[in-house]
Amino acid sequence: MTDIDTELRVSKIQNGTVIDHVTGGEALHVLAIIGIDGSGGEAVSLGMNVPSDRMGKKDIVKVEGRELSQSEVDVLSLIAPDATINIIREYEVTEKHRVERPEAVTGVLECPNANCITNAGEPVETQFAVLNDGVRCEYCDTIIREDLTEHIES
Amino acid sequence: MRHDHIITAKQLSREDIEAVLDLAAEFDRDLSGQADRHPGKLLALAFFEPSTRTKMSFETAIKRLGGDVIDMGPVEYSSVTKGETLADTVRVIEGYADAIALRHPMEGSATMASQFIDVPLLNGGDGAGQHPTQTLLDLYTIRENAGLDDLTIGIMGDLKYGRTVHSLSHALTNFDTRQHFISPESLKLPRNVRYDLHEAGAQVREHESLEAVLPELDVLYVTRIQRERFPDENEYQKVAGQFNIDLETLEDAADDLSIMHPLPRVDEIDPAIDDLENATYFDQAHNGVPVRMALLDMLL
Ligand SMILES: [Zn+2]
């Protein structure tokens, strides 16, 4: 079965985003990144650990009525480096992107250092530089290597 | 040197550092003869936590250059207690002063504040983060006593929270130096500092006691181990004495070992050491004035 077949098997959406080639088992983290917990009413379909020619196993996330922002895609790249993003309008794929590792992610992650100025109610967005194996706060230098998704701003 | 602000030691190249130290040396020869350099310029002292010495040395430096200070006074009487953001505070001060020296208890505060203003900002210490003006006066002192190349330095004490250590160790990677870090296991260098030192290709070794490395050292930089950093008083008592030095400790040291300390000290250095030629910590403190004069002269 090809990737295309697998994608078709999960129900089609009219308008929204299909995030394909997510690292197997990371789909729930992807939803966390884009801030979807079900309470917003979006229709979401998930395929987890489905067979993939390219990846062995992969996850697919389809979100009805929602297009991802660049900063969301940026953070996504940190946990799902092989993901492809398909923007769907009227059942057609109108844009298709591979995620790329950004140099920095802005306004998406919270700094785990309680004494960091970004946690002090100042009018600034967090900014993290992307390292080979983690991210680093541009304000206080704190490095996060593990469990990035736990630091996503709520 | 082309910088708008002095935020971190990491922004300073070898050329920048040498330019500051050279100018500081020039001022040092005639501290009271520089009053025609910046007459009428105002430096704002925005100190959000107490620091007598850093504050006084900034004040002395600008006055020696012919300028003056404005001071927001103790934090408890300022608008900060009414909940004003730091971003707002510095934007207001920018309207009064030609430069701002900022001391703030939170890491990253200087970086953030500098993004809101156009006048030069000098980071006078941001939490456990950076203290670049201290680093420059440390480097000035090291250069005078031991030179900055082919240097073996031991840095001992609280390496985890000691911001002067973080700034200094990074700045030293611009020179031909071997750095030995000596601390209790629980106060070792933090991950982000190791990362930077690694990236900079530094020659670094870590130790839990001074003995083995002491004879090799040209400089021993001692910092204070703060009791309150330890969750358990017993843990503190176990390590505290091991990282203090006295005349006996120094028996195996090189004759020209230079002993430094950013001050204030408590009991890390026995007062009997003060009279030695090698004790440079009071000179080190005095060097804050010419070094801060040089920085202000370059930024104003
Ligand atoms: Zn931070």
Side-chain angles (χ1 to χ4, degrees):
Chain A
M1 187 165 58
T2 67
D3 284 4
I4 299 292
D5 295 333
T6 315
E7 193 179 325
L8 289 174
R9 229 171 40 166
V10 184
S11 66
K12 281 200 158 228
I13 60 175
Q14 184 177 2
N15 292 296
T17 305
V18 175
I19 306 160
D20 198 0
H21 304 107
V22 173
T23 314
E26 290 289 335
L28 295 175
H29 286 145
V30 168
L31 288 176
I33 284 178
I34 56 182
I36 291 179
D37 59 6
S39 64
E42 303 94 341
V44 178
S45 332
L46 289 187
M48 288 180 82
N49 294 314
V50 299
S52 156
D53 291 345
R54 202 170 86 205
M55 301 172 69
K57 276 180 182 173
K58 66 169 186 178
D59 289 3
I60 306 175
V61 177
K62 297 193 176 195
V63 184
E64 183 76 48
R66 176 93 142 69
E67 294 185 11
L68 293 190
S69 70
Q70 188 58 47
S71 62
E72 287 168 335
V73 174
D74 285 350
V75 182
L76 202 59
S77 72
L78 302 177
I79 62 158
D82 298 314
T84 47
I85 313 279
N86 301 293
I87 306 293
I88 313 291
R89 292 180 191 132
E90 290 303 322
Y91 299 106
E92 297 290 329
V93 176
T94 57
E95 289 172 40
K96 200 173 179 91
H97 323 272
R98 284 292 288 274
V99 300
E100 278 177 44
R101 272 177 92 76
E103 303 228 320
V105 290
T106 302
V108 184
L109 298 171
E110 263 169 34
C111 184
N113 174 7
N115 205 41
C116 175
I117 195 72
T118 60
N119 289 317
E122 295 287 338
V124 282
E125 286 196 298
T126 59
Q127 180 148 341
F128 286 81
V130 177
L131 313 175
N132 286 333
D133 59 347
V135 297
R136 177 178 202 173
C137 177
E138 300 270 35
Y139 288 89
C140 75
D141 282 344
T142 295
I143 292 175
I144 317 176
R145 290 225 170 90
E146 300 87 21
D147 303 323
L148 278 183
T149 47
E150 285 175 16
H151 302 287
I152 294 164
E153 285 194 350
S154 45
Chain B
M1 191 174 76
R2 273 297 314 146
H3 294 291
D4 299 326
H5 308 287
I6 302 295
I7 307 293
T8 154
K10 281 187 274 178
Q11 78 186 94
L12 301 171
S13 66
R14 181 180 177 123
E15 289 69 33
D16 291 338
I17 292 167
E18 286 177 337
V20 175
L21 303 194
D22 290 346
L23 184 59
E26 191 186 317
F27 289 163
D28 210 357
R29 284 190 285 274
D30 183 15
L31 283 179
S32 53
Q34 311 301 329
D36 56 348
R37 294 192 77 99
H38 297 284
K41 291 284 183 180
L42 287 180
L43 173 66
L45 300 174
F47 275 59
F48 289 81
E49 62 179 20
S51 160
T52 318
R53 137 205 355 251
T54 302
K55 192 169 169 178
M56 280 182 75
S57 89
F58 268 117
E59 182 164 359
T60 309
I62 188 70
K63 286 183 171 170
R64 291 250 185 241
L65 292 169
D68 206 343
V69 291
I70 55 170
D71 187 338
M72 68 176 200
V75 171
E76 56 268 35
Y77 302 121
S78 73
S79 54
V80 178
T81 46
K82 297 178 192 129
E84 184 180 60
T85 61
L86 175 60
D88 281 2
T89 306
V90 294
R91 278 181 286 189
V92 171
I93 296 175
E94 176 183 33
Y96 306 151
D98 301 296
I100 300 175
L102 176 72
R103 159 70 66 99
H104 194 279
M106 299 193 87
E107 286 98 70
S109 50
T111 302
M112 188 213 70
S114 71
Q115 292 165 350
F116 288 89
I117 57 172
D118 291 322
V119 301
L121 182 134
L122 297 103
N123 182 4
D126 60 332
Q130 290 275 325
H131 198 356
T133 66
Q134 174 75 40
T135 291
L136 286 161
L137 74 89
D138 290 341
L139 293 171
Y140 182 85
T141 311
I142 294 170
R143 190 169 80 164
E144 280 199 318
N145 290 297
L148 278 169
D149 280 308
D150 191 22
L151 175 81
T152 303
I153 183 170
I155 303 180
M156 182 167 84
D158 178 357
L159 310 181
K160 186 172 182 184
Y161 300 99
R163 60 188 166 204
T164 60
V165 172
H166 306 164
S167 291
L168 176 63
S169 61
H170 198 276
L172 285 169
T173 64
N174 288 295
F175 301 89
D176 173 20
T177 54
R178 291 163 297 279
Q179 302 189 49
H180 294 275
F181 293 97
I182 305 129
S183 72
E185 172 70 24
S186 54
L187 295 175
K188 283 167 73 171
L189 286 176
R191 170 146 91 178
N192 62 307
V193 177
R194 288 159 192 278
Y195 179 89
D196 283 330
L197 292 177
H198 180 75
E199 289 283 290
Q203 292 188 62
V204 165
R205 286 182 58 199
E206 296 182 278
H207 313 269
E208 286 186 40
S209 99
L210 177 62
E211 269 172 21
V213 291
L214 182 64
E216 296 173 42
L217 302 181
D218 303 305
V219 172
L220 176 60
Y221 190 101
V222 184
T223 68
R224 186 160 49 101
I225 292 183
Q226 291 155 284
R227 183 170 294 197
E228 64 270 24
R229 300 293 187 201
F230 287 81
D232 178 353
E233 175 73 18
N234 286 336
E235 286 300 305
Y236 170 74
Q237 292 301 345
K238 255 188 262 171
V239 301
Q242 294 175 37
F243 299 90
N244 296 352
I245 61 168
D246 56 22
L247 290 172
E248 200 186 324
T249 319
L250 295 180
E251 272 169 11
D252 292 331
D255 290 338
D256 58 354
L257 172 74
S258 169
I259 300 160
M260 299 176 66
H261 192 300
L263 302 181
R265 68 171 153 178
V266 180
D267 53 6
E268 307 81 64
I269 300 180
D270 190 313
I273 291 177
D274 297 357
D275 298 330
L276 301 182
E277 185 86 351
N278 321 30
T280 54
Y281 28 93
F282 291 111
D283 290 335
Q284 186 185 351
H286 297 158
N287 290 338
V289 171
V291 166
R292 292 186 171 107
M293 285 171 75
L295 278 173
L296 287 166
D297 186 64
M298 290 167 143
L299 291 170
L300 282 171

